[in-house]
């Protein structure tokens, strides 16, 4: 394998170097018109490398091969939660996603070959097959549109050796290590794949092995090596049904062989003649893999870094030399784009698990409290001073919750388990499904997309809790993060969560509103409320290099500075730990251990109640328009914009709503509710005066005398009149 991998690497290297004649130029030395003259090497990541021939790395097979056994015959039947759940997910549609397609075009415009980094995780089968060149994805085949598919995930190998890893992983890692291609840490799409079509899963191969939450089989639970053991009828009345002998198959034969490739791919066979264009062979082998039950599996694509930048001693990020891979290949030395996995790693969820009170899917019992806190248990007796109960710990607990159901349609009761992972993969995206239905209605099943959308809403509705407190002249809104990572998390551009507060009078009419959203024009009023989001952008060095402005931008491939990150940390947060993984708050302050956010709103005169809403939006209007207007390459930006308009303009999802009553307003200008208007209030309100028709900033409400939404000279004059001084 060593020589094969070297050949594959050299092939891509020759293509990289041929792309630009400037090999040793340090980019910050000059200004370049877009795109920057980066090469494929600037975005190189370790791990298994592409093999266009398929001789070294066997091709990733289409998910339709899995559909035969892992999809319910009735799309409305949720009893087989594997293929149907996956097809409706954003994992299956990572490449089809029109937001991704539009962002990919801009990335390639901004920095040559930047799209290769994106395609690693959005179309890994195509990337491994050498179809990421050209980097706009135009060489991708139909099966590549399946995004992150079954065979890709189930062929992943843990890049980090652990005792529980299967021994078959060792030579794969050793071969990559011998040519310096073994990643030190999972992340950024630097994945390791079994070069052969050998699949992995978390279940024991022994059919009589105990199952958490269940009993040893009687009849036995089907082991995950069913692909080897299972025999099916090749034809006749019982075609494709399980069998033991030919007598079970009137009109056909009982065979444990399947067609590999060709028009009858994955169908039962007895000879090659049954497989036009393919071969009749034994079913694909299965390996028990601890990785597939661990959160480390998700790190593969949910800790994303830009390897074109290197972290400097003072904390800034400098663009690397053209034509050179990142020197250390350590994701924490690259510019951070997403840190969802690292956020989880440094949370209580990862450390010992959290009792989610049944909201999410944790079923693995651990001690909660007592001397064995966090230790696996079977009964309360195992937990002195505590209790034994199911917890949420890994990514899979929430995003692939276990269920008592059938994992395969080919036989009851042999295929039922109490811990079949629902392949939901839902996060917070409850909008893109509508666009996918419009664009790929003939390929995707509408029910699967709709169900995925509803599951995403469930995740959003349960990701937080809200607590409202009456503090005399103001209310405090506390949002508690119940997720195992920041809230919100994931890809930063365009995503946001915000507070909407309506103060109402006795007749329930709205007196003032904070964080108002115009559903007709998709405009959010931001200055007077708290918006939880990440703002990336360019520092002075990158601005000088590109000719773009210093500050916040949506130029994903060029951004090298985090200007804002006020998202709410998870349980177990510490500033030092999050700083170490490039996930520290920016332009916001959270104390160690804080996993909530407090926001105060002053009660306006006449208000007796307030309705507080927490909203989430997948893509802001500003981001969608940027992707349309900046596109000079193809029609992906305009396609996104048209679909955005057709599907409600990424309508906000209501995450939480709560009402507080019996309110009474404090004094005008009394910021700290002291019942006096003194120098402290004057100091706190300094900077509030912005002029007429300029929406006031959060915290300036008590200085808006005429309740017109701004703080101008008339309001300031009223404050001067009301000023009383101490006591």
């Amino acid at each position: 394998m060593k020589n094969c991998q070297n050949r594959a690497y050299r092939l891509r290297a020759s293509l990289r170097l041929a792309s630009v004649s400037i090999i040793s130029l340090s980019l910050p030395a000059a200004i370049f018109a877009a795109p920057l003259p980066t090469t494929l090497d600037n975005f190189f990541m370790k791990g298994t490398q592409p093999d266009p021939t398929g001789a070294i790395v066997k091709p990733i097979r289409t998910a339709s091969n899995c559909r035969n056994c892992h999809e319910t015959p009735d799309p409305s039947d949720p009893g087989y939660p594997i293929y149907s759940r996956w097809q409706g997910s954003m994992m299956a549609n990572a490449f089809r996603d029109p937001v991704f397609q539009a962002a990919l075009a801009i990335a390639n415009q901004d920095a040559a070959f930047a799209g290769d980094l994106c395609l690693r995780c959005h179309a890994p089968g195509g990337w491994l097959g050498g179809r990421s060149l050209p980097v706009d994805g135009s060489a991708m085949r139909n099966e590549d549109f399946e995004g992150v598919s079954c065979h890709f995930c189930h062929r992943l190998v843990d890049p980090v050796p652990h005792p529980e890893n299967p021994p078959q992983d060792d030579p794969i890692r050793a071969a990559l290590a011998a040519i310096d291609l073994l990643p030190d840490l999972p992340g950024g799409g630097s994945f390791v794949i079994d070069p052969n079509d050998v699949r992995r899963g978390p279940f024991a191969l022994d059919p009589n092995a105990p199952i958490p939450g269940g009993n040893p089989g009687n009849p036995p639970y089907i082991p995950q090596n069913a692909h080897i053991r299972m025999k099916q009828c090749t034809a006749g009345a019982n075609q494709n049904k399980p069998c033991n002998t030919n007598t079970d198959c009137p009109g056909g034969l009982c065979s444990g062989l399947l067609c590999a490739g060709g028009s009858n791919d994955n169908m039962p066979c007895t000879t090659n003649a049954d497989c036009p264009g393919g071969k009749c062979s034994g079913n694909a082998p299965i390996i028990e893999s601890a990785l597939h039950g661990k959160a480390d599996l998700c790190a593969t694509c949910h800790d994303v870094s830009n390897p074109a930048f290197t972290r400097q001693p003072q904390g800034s990020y400098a663009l690397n030399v053209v034509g050179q891979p990142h020197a250390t290949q350590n994701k924490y030395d690259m510019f951070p784009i997403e840190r969802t996995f690292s956020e989880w790693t440094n949370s209580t969820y990862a450390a010992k698990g959290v009792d989610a009170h049944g909201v999410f899917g944790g079923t693995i019992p651990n001690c909660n409290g007592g001397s064995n806190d966090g230790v696996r248990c079977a009964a309360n007796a195992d937990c002195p001073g505590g209790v034994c109960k199911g917890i949420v710990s890994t990514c899979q607990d929430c995003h692939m919750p276990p269920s008592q159901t059938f994992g395969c349609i080919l036989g009851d009761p042999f295929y039922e388990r109490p811990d079949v992972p629902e392949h939901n993969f839902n996060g917070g995206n409850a909008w893109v499904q509508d666009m996918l239905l419009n664009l790929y209605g003939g390929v995707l099943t509408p029910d699967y997309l709709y169900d995925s959308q509803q599951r995403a809403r469930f995740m959003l509705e349960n990701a937080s809790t809200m607590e409202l407190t009456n503090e005399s002249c103001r209310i405090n809104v506390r949002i508690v993060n119940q997720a195992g990572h920041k809230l919100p998390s994931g890809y930063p551009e365009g995503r946001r969560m915000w507070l909407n507060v309506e103060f109402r009078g006795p007749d329930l009419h709205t007196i003032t509103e904070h964080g108002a959203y115009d559903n007709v024009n998709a405009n959010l009023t931001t200055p007077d409320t708290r918006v939880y989001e990440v703002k990336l952008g360019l520092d002075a060095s990158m601005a000088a290099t590109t000719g773009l402005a210093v500050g916040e931008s949506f130029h994903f491939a060029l951004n090298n500075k985090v200007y804002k990150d006020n998202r709410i940390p998870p349980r177990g947060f510490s500033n030092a730990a999050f700083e170490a993984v490039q996930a520290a708050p920016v332009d916001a302050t959270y104390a160690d251990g804080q996993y909530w956010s407090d926001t105060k709103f002053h009660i306006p005169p006449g208000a007796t109640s307030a309705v507080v809403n927490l909203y989430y939006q997948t893509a802001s209007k500003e981001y969608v328009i940027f992707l349309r207007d900046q596109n000079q390459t193809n029609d992906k930006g305009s396609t996104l914009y048209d679909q955005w308009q057709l599907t409600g303009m990424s309508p906000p999802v209501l995450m939480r709503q709560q009402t507080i009553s019996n309110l009474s307003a404090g004094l005008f200008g009394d910021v700290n509710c002291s019942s006096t208007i003194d120098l402290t209030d004057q100091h706190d309100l300094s900077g509030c005066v912005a002029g007429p028709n300029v929406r006031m900033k959060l915290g300036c409400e008590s200085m808006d005398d005429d309740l017109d939404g701004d703080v101008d000279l008339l309001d300031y004059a009223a404050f001067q009149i009301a000023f009383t001084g101490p006591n």
Side-chain angles (χ1 to χ4, degrees):
M1 178 172 174
K2 176 177 178 179
N3 291 333
C4 294
Q5 286 287 329
N6 265 322
R7 286 199 301 273
Y9 177 79
R10 284 200 300 271
L11 172 62
R12 284 176 65 83
S14 66
L15 292 170
R16 295 180 186 117
L17 299 181
S19 68
V20 64
S21 60
I22 305 171
I23 304 302
S24 60
L25 175 66
S26 180
L27 287 177
I31 296 178
F32 296 93
L36 292 178
T38 43
T39 73
L40 209 52
D41 267 318
N42 286 111
F43 300 98
F44 169 78
M45 303 285 281
K46 288 186 177 183
T48 304
Q49 298 301 305
D51 175 21
T53 69
I56 307 165
V57 180
K58 302 302 180 188
I60 300 296
R61 304 180 76 183
T62 174
S64 62
N65 289 320
C66 307
R67 186 174 195 165
N68 295 333
C69 296
H70 296 291
E71 180 186 30
T72 172
D74 178 3
S76 65
D77 179 5
Y80 303 88
I82 297 181
Y83 180 87
S84 58
R85 305 288 182 96
W86 167 82
Q87 197 211 61
S89 74
M90 293 309 301
M91 294 277 277
N93 296 289
F95 184 73
R96 295 186 184 101
D97 179 2
V99 180
F100 165 73
Q101 290 287 339
L104 177 67
I106 301 299
N108 285 321
Q109 281 181 192
D110 286 344
F113 294 98
D116 189 73
L117 178 68
C118 311
L119 293 171
R120 276 177 166 269
C121 281
H122 283 260
W127 187 88
L128 285 165
R131 295 182 292 279
S132 63
L133 294 176
V135 291
D136 62 357
S138 58
M140 295 292 174
R141 302 196 300 228
N142 285 342
E143 62 265 32
D144 301 328
F145 279 71
E146 294 176 340
V148 185
S149 64
C150 319
H151 288 130
F152 170 72
C153 282
H154 286 280
R155 279 174 60 182
L156 283 171
V157 172
D158 194 341
V160 182
H162 294 290
E164 64 268 26
N165 286 335
Q168 294 93 332
D169 291 357
D170 294 336
I172 298 172
R173 283 191 295 266
L176 291 174
I179 51 176
D180 197 26
L181 287 179
L182 183 65
D184 296 324
L185 296 168
S190 56
F191 43 73
V192 177
I193 286 285
D194 192 316
N196 297 305
D197 188 14
V198 178
R199 302 165 201 177
R200 289 158 168 76
F203 295 149
L205 301 183
D206 180 0
N208 295 300
I211 297 174
N215 297 314
N218 185 24
Y221 290 109
I222 196 72
Q224 67 174 9
N225 65 341
H227 296 76
I228 302 171
R229 299 173 65 255
M230 185 174 65
K231 292 183 178 182
Q232 297 171 252
C233 294
T234 60
N238 293 332
Q239 186 176 15
N240 296 339
K241 291 186 178 180
C243 59
N244 292 310
T245 67
N246 288 340
T247 58
D248 299 326
C249 304
L253 297 174
C254 184
S255 172
L257 303 178
L258 290 180
C259 291
S263 56
N264 290 337
D265 188 37
N266 216 43
M267 298 298 291
C269 59
T270 54
T271 68
N272 287 342
D274 299 326
C275 306
K279 278 199 306 189
C280 185
S281 63
N283 295 350
I286 302 293
I287 295 175
E288 181 181 354
S289 167
L291 173 67
H292 287 75
K294 294 165 57 180
D296 296 44
L297 183 77
C298 309
T300 305
C301 287
H302 292 281
D303 254 4
V304 182
S305 307
N306 189 341
F309 294 92
T310 295
R311 190 176 191 174
Q312 304 301 298
Q314 75 277 20
S316 64
Y317 294 86
L319 199 57
N320 298 331
V321 173
V322 169
Q324 295 295 317
H326 191 279
T328 70
Q329 287 289 300
N330 185 322
K331 63 183 178 182
Y332 297 129
D333 291 335
M334 304 172 184
F335 181 68
I337 299 170
E338 301 176 36
R339 284 292 179 265
T340 302
F341 174 76
S342 290
E343 293 161 13
W344 168 86
T345 301
N346 291 281
S347 74
T348 304
Y349 284 84
K352 64 177 183 178
V354 172
D355 179 11
H357 304 291
V359 173
F360 298 117
T363 59
I364 299 174
N366 278 35
C367 291
N368 280 241
S371 56
N372 289 338
D373 189 37
V375 177
R376 294 285 175 90
C377 58
N380 286 340
D382 300 325
C383 306
V387 294
C388 180
K389 56 185 176 180
I391 62 165
V392 172
S393 179
T394 67
C395 310
Q396 289 90 331
D397 287 337
C398 285
H399 301 280
M400 298 180 69
S403 59
Q404 172 83 36
T405 187
F406 297 88
C408 182
I409 65 174
L410 293 178
D412 178 9
F414 299 101
Y415 295 86
E416 186 177 18
R417 294 182 62 103
D419 56 350
V420 174
E422 298 178 0
H423 285 48
N424 298 340
F425 306 116
N426 286 108
N429 200 327
W431 164 56
V432 169
Q433 295 90 340
D434 290 333
M435 296 193 292
L436 291 169
L437 185 59
N438 291 341
L439 296 170
Y440 300 96
V443 177
L444 303 174
T445 304
D447 283 350
Y448 296 169
L449 291 170
Y450 174 77
D451 290 345
S452 176
Q453 198 170 45
Q454 297 309 110
R455 287 191 297 271
R457 291 181 180 276
F458 173 85
M459 298 292 283
L460 289 169
E461 290 166 359
N462 290 279
S464 67
T465 52
M466 179 186 292
E467 302 169 7
L468 304 183
T469 307
N470 186 343
E471 297 183 347
S472 179
C473 74
R474 63 193 177 197
I475 64 170
N476 183 70
V477 180
R478 171 169 289 187
I479 303 299
V480 181
N481 181 5
Q482 302 294 353
H485 43 66
K486 286 186 179 182
L487 186 66
S489 188
Y491 186 71
E493 295 191 334
R495 295 186 183 184
R496 58 189 181 184
M497 181 178 77
W498 72 89
L499 290 171
N500 167 262
V501 181
E502 292 184 36
F503 284 103
R504 297 178 176 179
D507 58 357
L508 300 183
H509 78 281
T510 300
I511 296 175
T512 60
E513 182 178 6
H514 297 264
Y517 186 80
D518 178 359
N519 286 290
V520 175
N521 298 298
N523 292 322
L524 172 64
T525 302
T526 60
D528 63 354
T529 192
R530 191 175 304 282
V531 181
Y532 301 94
E533 60 189 346
V534 181
K535 293 287 190 180
L536 306 179
L538 286 73
D539 68 7
S541 175
M542 274 303 293
T545 298
T546 61
L548 298 173
V550 175
E552 299 172 2
S553 92
F554 289 130
H555 290 278
F556 147 76
L558 304 177
N559 291 335
N560 70 329
K561 183 173 180 178
V562 181
Y563 279 90
K564 175 186 178 183
D565 183 358
N566 69 337
R567 297 172 299 168
I568 308 173
R571 283 175 170 83
F573 165 79
S574 79
N575 284 279
F578 273 60
E579 174 69 30
V581 296
Q582 304 163 291
V586 177
D587 195 28
T589 301
Y590 290 94
D592 286 354
Q594 184 178 346
Y595 56 96
W596 61 88
S597 170
D598 290 332
T599 308
K600 301 181 187 301
F601 296 91
H602 277 259
I603 304 168
T608 57
S609 66
V611 178
V612 181
N613 304 297
L614 180 67
Y615 285 107
Y616 173 81
Q617 188 174 46
T618 298
S620 66
K621 175 182 181 178
E622 293 79 5
Y623 183 49
V624 173
I625 289 178
F626 167 86
L627 293 175
R628 179 197 66 181
D629 293 350
Q630 293 295 313
N631 191 308
Q632 303 169 10
T633 305
N634 53 35
D635 64 352
K636 302 300 183 183
S638 57
T639 297
L640 169 64
Y641 182 81
D642 292 344
Q643 288 297 317
W644 174 74
Q645 288 192 308
L646 287 171
T647 56
M649 299 179 289
S650 186
V653 176
L654 179 63
M655 298 174 65
R656 282 282 159 181
Q657 184 181 77
Q658 197 167 324
T659 300
I660 186 170
S661 303
N662 300 317
L663 302 180
S664 59
L667 295 174
F668 163 69
D670 183 15
V671 178
N672 57 5
C673 300
S674 65
S675 299
T676 61
I677 304 172
D678 53 23
L679 291 175
T680 300
D681 298 307
Q682 187 176 41
H683 176 270
D684 290 342
L685 290 171
S686 62
C688 283
V689 179
N693 302 318
V694 177
R695 189 66 186 178
M696 64 184 171
K697 296 184 293 185
L698 180 63
C700 295
E701 310 92 272
S702 64
M703 202 172 176
D704 182 20
D705 180 53
D706 50 15
L707 301 181
D708 62 354
D710 61 34
V711 179
D712 53 23
L713 291 178
L714 292 176
D715 297 306
Y716 186 72
F719 177 81
Q720 297 286 55
I721 295 171
F723 185 85
T724 59
N727 303 318

